[in-house]
Amino acid sequence: MGLFDKFQKEGPTGLDETRSLPFLSIADLLIFPSSTMPLYIIHPLGQKAIDFAMANDRRVVVGYLRDPNQGQETQTPKTLIESHYPIATQCRLIQVMKLPNNTSRVLVEGLRRVSLSTLEAKTETHLAGFEPVIDETTQKPPNPGLVRALKDEFETYGKSNKRVTKEILARVQGTVDPTLISDLICGVLSAPLSDRLEIYLSFDTLHRLEKTLELIRTEAEVLDLRKAVTDRVKKRMEDGQKEYFIQEQIKEMNKALGKGEEDDPSGLKELEKRLSEKELSKEVEEKFRSEFKRLSRLQSFGPEAGILRTYLEWILDLPWTTGTVASSQPSLSEAQNILDSHHFGMTEVKERILDFLAVRLLRPDLRAPILCFVGPPGTGKTSLGRSVAEAMGRTFVRMSLGGVRDEAEIRGHRRTYVGALPGKIMQGMKKAGTQNPVFLLDEIDKISADHRGDPSSALLEVLDPEQNNTFADHYIELPFDLSQVVFLTTANSLHTIPLALRDRMEIIHIPGYTENEKVSIVSGFLLPRQLENHGLHSHDIRLGSEAIKAVVRGYTMESGVRSLDREIAKILRKVAREKAYSQTKKKDFRHALVTVRTLEKFLGKPKHLPEAKYHQNPPGFTYGLAWTEFGGKILPIESAGFEGKGNLLLTGNLGEVMKESARIALTLIRQRAKDLGLGDFDFANTDLHIHVPEGAIPKDGPSAGIALTVSLVSALKRWQLASELAMTGEITLTGRVLAIGGLKEKLLAAHRNGRTWVIIPKENQRDLDELPVDIRKALTINLVDTIDEVFELTELVQDRPCER
């Protein structure tokens, strides 16, 4: 006979008998004997257990789930009892209230702890078989002192905790049963469930009492800490209110006595004074007065007041009107002298700046264009911005964009963020103090985007003359006129600048310097400046042009002059050391002589050896010309053929475009095999290998097309090419030679590396005007339209080796 049938047959029995009762399963709660607690029953099995208990003697057994997420619908009796803790609570239902959504609110009273023996799952409800829990009080009676200490601690705890009623305090004090004392106290403690569960599951009365005492003391410390924090906060608020009222009383008394405030702790008077001296537009002034009114109602020591005061100071610091224009503009002749005295060469740039200044004289209200200086590092792009500002008589501001990834760096942060500030554009305008400075955006090609936004998109409005008269910074929240600002930008390469941003700028290319130009720059600019920096005079050193050329060739090999400037400084440090040593020893120091022979004494061994130059190149070897963002360079190309299966091997870290040029070259050669004397050549059983040395450096672009073609023909015919020859040009499948970019830098690289004969596309003839006259005279330049002209120039179509 099952437990359910047995219960129905025998009816309810007393507390002292072993019996079965309807079973309730709960989690995250614990019902101690002699405590009352409300339960909300949602599960259908729980609802049936409640209904069954209410129809009988209102008693149930409440068990506690080990895992709160584990259900009980599909469990067997064995797994069902294993999913609960072994100790449960026999409870009496005091009140049951039906709520909407099939929920019941049940008020239960804990009667005693029981040990679960069986659980039987029935359709109507689950029935629990149980036995009363007998603690080990009789075997190990607790120390009376421990019971006394527990009661005293609970009485102290109850005075500071509103959950402990007078009835519970009285009942604990009047109870002699140690087990009941522990149950009464744990029923009202706010300790963690795991700690109270440890007490509930224990059979050792002594352990239960000790653990309960520990929990009371812990809870008492938590209550004391909370009270201390609350008291400190309350006192701080009271002190703040007191200070505010005292300040207000002082103000009123000073007004009654006709006296002004000697100090201005809130800063309001200073802001009012600055506002009266500042010329603002109507919109800006209305915004200022609105925020100023808010500030006057706030306590001066509050954090919000500090944020608002900083915002108002920013409004007053910015140059809003044209009344803060810079000093008068120099004449065109003065501007010309300033540019020439600071920079060597740069004819195109200087002409463009002088043109702009001339137009400004005729139309002062003209919106300034956006100029972008593009060139290799060390060519003077950044310093040119300072010279432009001086030539225009304006304030100069520089902002570096290298590594900027956050849009807020340009537009600022909104005032809702802690530590918010305007963007760098507004910070630069504040630093300038004028509405029309020269604003240099340095390294514009180095900005990039991430999850914080795209700074280049924020620059679109800044660098658009049609939009920047109402630039909106997120922090300022007012339109600011940037139309009078002369924006200059610098970049090493245009490829990484977004097209929309590039379209807003006028591109001015600044090429690298020739060897003679570098000599002039050292003599006229770098050496005088470094002499001053090192405390030397012009008569302390003799540095001739040949020595400077040796420095350029052996220690720098760059398009700009930055490394050259460092090498000159290194020489002067050695000279300064010799002079200081002579003064210490009281010897005469006439001057230091720096020549080509003595250069190693100052700079050590040369860092750059000249490119290995064959008397006549081996078959398959030729030179192309390449452009990088650091200037031009020569590009050695090697080709070889050997028995194989007609494959084309390409090595040297080549990009896709350059690989395509190599395939086009092979196709052209096969088309023109008869004219080249290769009519009987077995291409199907020959593998061709093209290699471009310095394989660690990526290479790409179409301009090596004719060099690749000539190298392959030279390898197949086993002919040698002239060692002084270099070439550049893009080829097509029909044999046309197309124009390329960066011609000046490429020809400078050819001259710098001792190549005197170059072949270039005829379409690039217009670019030769940019080449210095001395370089043009030093090079033999051939212009070609087709690949056949290249073959004729290199004599590859003749039946004899190439000689020139």
Side-chain angles (χ1 to χ4, degrees):
M1 182 168 55
L3 287 174
F4 185 83
D5 299 328
K6 180 180 178 181
F7 180 87
Q8 286 186 323
K9 181 176 180 181
E10 297 179 357
T13 59
L15 282 176
D16 295 333
E17 298 178 12
T18 302
R19 52 169 297 175
S20 62
L21 285 175
F23 182 72
L24 281 178
S25 180
I26 64 174
D28 299 327
L29 288 175
L30 195 57
I31 304 172
F32 278 85
S34 300
S35 64
T36 304
M37 182 176 295
L39 300 177
Y40 289 87
I41 308 301
I42 301 175
H43 200 281
L45 287 173
Q47 295 278 12
K48 291 179 180 180
I50 295 299
D51 294 339
F52 187 85
M54 290 299 294
N56 293 281
D57 66 340
R58 293 175 171 253
R59 293 180 183 178
V60 294
V61 172
V62 178
Y64 308 104
L65 280 169
R66 297 178 184 270
D67 183 4
N69 299 318
Q70 187 172 7
Q72 48 180 309
E73 298 86 351
T74 59
Q75 297 189 44
T76 64
K78 181 179 179 181
T79 59
L80 187 61
I81 196 170
E82 290 175 352
S83 65
H84 290 77
Y85 288 106
I87 307 300
T89 307
Q90 184 180 350
C91 299
R92 181 169 63 90
L93 305 182
I94 300 175
Q95 184 185 51
V96 177
M97 182 183 298
K98 296 292 184 178
L99 301 176
N101 301 325
N102 296 323
T103 302
S104 295
R105 181 184 184 277
V106 183
L107 187 63
V108 298
E109 177 189 14
L111 300 178
R112 63 177 177 177
R113 294 186 301 149
V114 295
S115 175
L116 291 176
S117 56
T118 59
L119 276 178
E120 184 171 352
K122 290 294 184 178
T123 306
E124 294 82 2
T125 184
H126 290 169
L127 292 178
F130 60 91
E131 296 177 358
V133 172
I134 301 176
D135 291 329
E136 300 174 359
T137 309
T138 54
Q139 290 82 0
K140 297 179 181 179
N143 187 344
L146 177 61
V147 176
R148 184 69 260 169
L150 185 59
K151 289 182 177 182
D152 293 341
E153 287 284 347
F154 183 70
E155 184 176 6
T156 305
Y157 171 81
K159 292 178 181 179
S160 57
N161 191 339
K162 296 180 179 180
R163 290 187 57 187
V164 181
T165 63
K166 293 181 179 180
E167 290 77 13
I168 296 177
L169 281 172
R171 190 172 179 187
V172 170
Q173 293 297 333
T175 303
V176 295
D177 183 4
T179 300
L180 182 56
I181 291 173
S182 177
D183 291 338
L184 286 171
I185 294 175
C186 290
V188 296
L189 283 180
S190 301
L193 178 65
S194 58
D195 293 334
R196 292 187 293 127
L197 191 61
E198 178 184 346
I199 296 173
Y200 192 79
L201 299 178
S202 175
F203 293 89
D204 185 352
T205 305
L206 180 60
H207 175 262
R208 298 186 75 204
L209 293 176
E210 291 175 345
K211 186 65 177 178
T212 303
L213 182 60
E214 179 184 336
L215 289 185
I216 291 177
R217 290 173 175 170
T218 301
E219 287 299 301
E221 291 177 0
V222 172
L223 284 176
D224 291 341
L225 180 60
R226 287 179 180 173
K227 185 176 183 301
V229 171
T230 304
D231 291 342
R232 283 199 299 269
V233 173
K234 184 178 179 181
K235 185 177 184 303
R236 195 155 49 236
M237 293 178 64
E238 290 174 351
D239 292 342
Q241 292 289 339
K242 182 180 178 181
E243 181 181 347
Y244 174 77
F245 286 126
I246 291 175
Q247 288 178 354
E248 291 299 316
Q249 288 173 352
I250 292 174
K251 289 180 182 179
E252 293 301 322
M253 285 187 290
N254 284 333
K255 288 181 181 179
L257 294 172
K259 297 181 179 179
E261 298 179 23
E262 294 182 356
D263 59 352
D264 184 22
S266 62
L268 295 177
K269 283 198 169 184
E270 181 186 354
L271 292 174
E272 280 185 311
K273 181 181 178 182
R274 292 184 60 187
L275 177 63
S276 63
E277 299 170 352
K278 188 81 172 180
E279 183 181 350
L280 300 175
S281 65
K282 182 179 178 181
E283 181 182 4
V284 176
E285 186 171 352
E286 287 178 354
K287 177 70 172 178
F288 182 92
R289 293 193 180 279
S290 174
E291 298 295 334
F292 183 82
K293 189 175 180 180
R294 281 185 55 209
L295 177 61
S296 62
R297 293 196 297 263
L298 296 174
Q299 299 181 18
S300 60
F301 50 82
E304 187 178 355
I307 294 172
L308 196 53
R309 190 181 302 109
T310 302
Y311 173 71
L312 295 177
E313 289 173 353
W314 266 102
I315 291 181
L316 294 174
D317 288 339
L318 290 174
W320 292 94
T321 63
T322 54
T324 53
V325 180
S327 58
S328 59
Q329 179 176 309
S331 64
L332 290 179
S333 58
E334 291 174 342
Q336 176 79 59
N337 293 334
I338 291 172
L339 293 174
D340 289 339
S341 63
H342 291 179
H343 296 274
F344 180 84
M346 295 189 180
T347 305
E348 180 186 355
V349 181
K350 294 175 182 177
E351 290 291 331
R352 179 64 186 88
I353 294 170
L354 292 174
D355 291 344
F356 170 70
L357 294 179
V359 176
R360 291 284 297 184
L361 290 175
L362 302 177
R363 282 285 307 274
D365 59 338
L366 179 69
R367 291 183 176 178
I370 314 298
L371 303 181
C372 180
F373 302 140
V374 180
T379 50
K381 300 184 296 298
T382 302
S383 60
L384 184 61
R386 293 188 177 90
S387 301
V388 171
E390 186 178 347
M392 297 182 69
R394 298 193 181 188
T395 306
F396 177 73
V397 180
R398 175 183 172 271
M399 170 184 170
S400 177
L401 295 175
V404 173
R405 297 173 178 268
D406 191 353
E407 181 186 351
E409 293 283 337
I410 308 298
R411 286 193 174 273
H413 299 83
R414 299 193 184 276
R415 281 192 288 155
T416 52
Y417 294 102
V418 177
L421 281 175
K424 289 191 174 181
I425 299 296
M426 290 293 99
Q427 293 180 32
M429 296 304 296
K430 174 187 174 182
K431 180 181 178 181
T434 67
Q435 198 184 26
N436 60 348
V438 173
F439 204 125
L440 179 67
L441 301 175
D442 212 3
E443 307 288 355
I444 198 172
D445 57 329
K446 304 298 190 300
I447 58 176
S448 56
D450 64 5
H451 65 280
R452 292 168 291 187
D454 187 358
S456 63
S457 299
L459 284 174
L460 294 178
E461 182 184 4
V462 176
L463 299 182
D464 191 341
E466 299 299 324
Q467 300 181 35
N468 61 12
N469 60 331
T470 56
F471 174 71
D473 185 273
H474 289 157
Y475 181 85
I476 301 300
E477 296 177 341
L478 288 168
F480 191 89
D481 186 6
L482 295 175
S483 60
Q484 299 301 313
V485 180
V486 176
F487 282 104
L488 305 176
T489 64
T490 68
N492 296 130
S493 172
L494 290 175
H495 302 302
T496 57
I497 303 176
L499 182 61
L501 188 58
R502 198 188 321 164
D503 184 62
R504 284 164 166 78
M505 301 184 293
E506 181 178 341
I507 307 299
I508 297 178
H509 292 278
I510 300 179
Y513 298 110
T514 66
E515 191 174 89
N516 291 335
E517 287 175 337
K518 290 182 179 180
V519 173
S520 300
I521 291 172
V522 171
S523 302
F525 298 90
L526 301 184
L527 185 58
R529 187 183 65 194
Q530 291 293 354
L531 284 171
E532 182 180 355
N533 293 342
H534 290 78
L536 299 172
H537 302 284
S538 57
H539 56 76
D540 289 332
I541 186 172
R542 296 288 183 268
L543 181 62
S545 59
E546 292 302 319
I548 297 175
K549 288 181 180 180
V551 175
V552 171
R553 295 168 185 166
Y555 297 89
T556 60
M557 291 296 288
E558 58 174 348
S559 297
V561 293
R562 186 171 290 138
S563 296
L564 181 57
D565 191 25
R566 287 194 288 265
E567 297 301 325
I568 297 299
K570 188 174 181 180
I571 292 174
L572 294 186
R573 285 196 296 270
K574 299 288 187 182
V575 175
R577 181 179 173 184
E578 289 184 13
K579 184 176 180 180
Y581 183 81
S582 299
Q583 290 178 350
T584 303
K585 298 295 184 180
K586 297 182 179 181
K587 295 181 180 179
D588 291 334
F589 179 80
R590 296 181 60 188
H591 62 263
L593 181 62
V594 182
T595 65
V596 176
R597 293 184 176 181
T598 62
L599 199 57
E600 288 191 15
K601 170 187 171 184
F602 296 92
L603 297 179
K605 295 291 184 181
K607 301 175 185 176
H608 303 281
L609 297 176
E611 180 76 26
K613 186 176 178 181
Y614 298 102
H615 177 66
Q616 269 203 320
N617 292 337
F621 188 92
T622 189
Y623 285 102
L625 296 173
W627 178 90
T628 70
E629 61 182 34
F630 302 103
K633 65 175 297 182
I634 61 172
L635 194 70
I637 298 175
E638 303 172 347
S639 298
F642 50 91
E643 184 178 352
K645 299 181 180 179
N647 296 322
L648 177 62
L649 306 178
L650 302 171
T651 57
N653 203 349
L654 308 185
E656 288 299 321
V657 177
M658 197 165 180
K659 290 179 180 179
E660 290 174 359
S661 296
R663 297 187 190 103
I664 294 172
L666 179 57
T667 301
L668 281 174
I669 293 170
R670 299 185 68 171
Q671 286 178 341
R672 290 165 170 74
K674 187 176 294 186
D675 296 336
L676 294 169
L678 297 172
D680 297 331
F681 192 84
D682 188 5
F683 287 97
N685 295 313
T686 302
D687 284 350
L688 297 175
H689 187 173
I690 298 177
H691 176 66
V692 183
E694 297 182 356
I697 302 174
K699 311 166 191 71
D700 203 4
S703 63
I706 64 173
L708 292 168
T709 308
V710 169
S711 175
L712 280 174
V713 175
S714 172
L716 294 175
K717 300 188 69 172
R718 304 296 300 167
W719 282 0
Q720 297 170 307
L721 297 170
S723 59
E724 68 269 19
L725 172 64
M727 61 191 75
T728 180
E730 179 182 355
I731 57 169
T732 69
L733 274 177
T734 57
R736 290 188 300 133
V737 178
L738 304 182
I740 45 85
L743 180 67
K744 181 180 178 180
E745 286 79 6
K746 291 178 179 180
L747 295 182
L748 290 177
H751 178 263
R752 191 164 56 239
N753 289 275
R755 303 303 179 269
T756 58
W757 177 27
V758 292
I759 300 175
I760 65 172
K762 194 170 186 178
E763 294 180 6
N764 284 107
Q765 185 173 6
R766 62 184 184 273
D767 300 324
L768 291 176
D769 295 337
E770 301 177 5
L771 203 63
V773 177
D774 57 328
I775 301 297
R776 236 183 298 176
K777 291 180 178 180
L779 295 176
T780 301
I781 302 174
N782 293 108
L783 304 170
V784 296
D785 267 331
T786 64
I787 192 66
D788 297 318
E789 296 177 38
V790 178
F791 291 152
E792 291 176 3
L793 285 170
T794 55
E795 303 181 1
L796 289 173
V797 293
Q798 302 296 325
D799 194 18
R800 59 185 175 81
C802 172
E803 295 180 358
R804 191 176 181 277

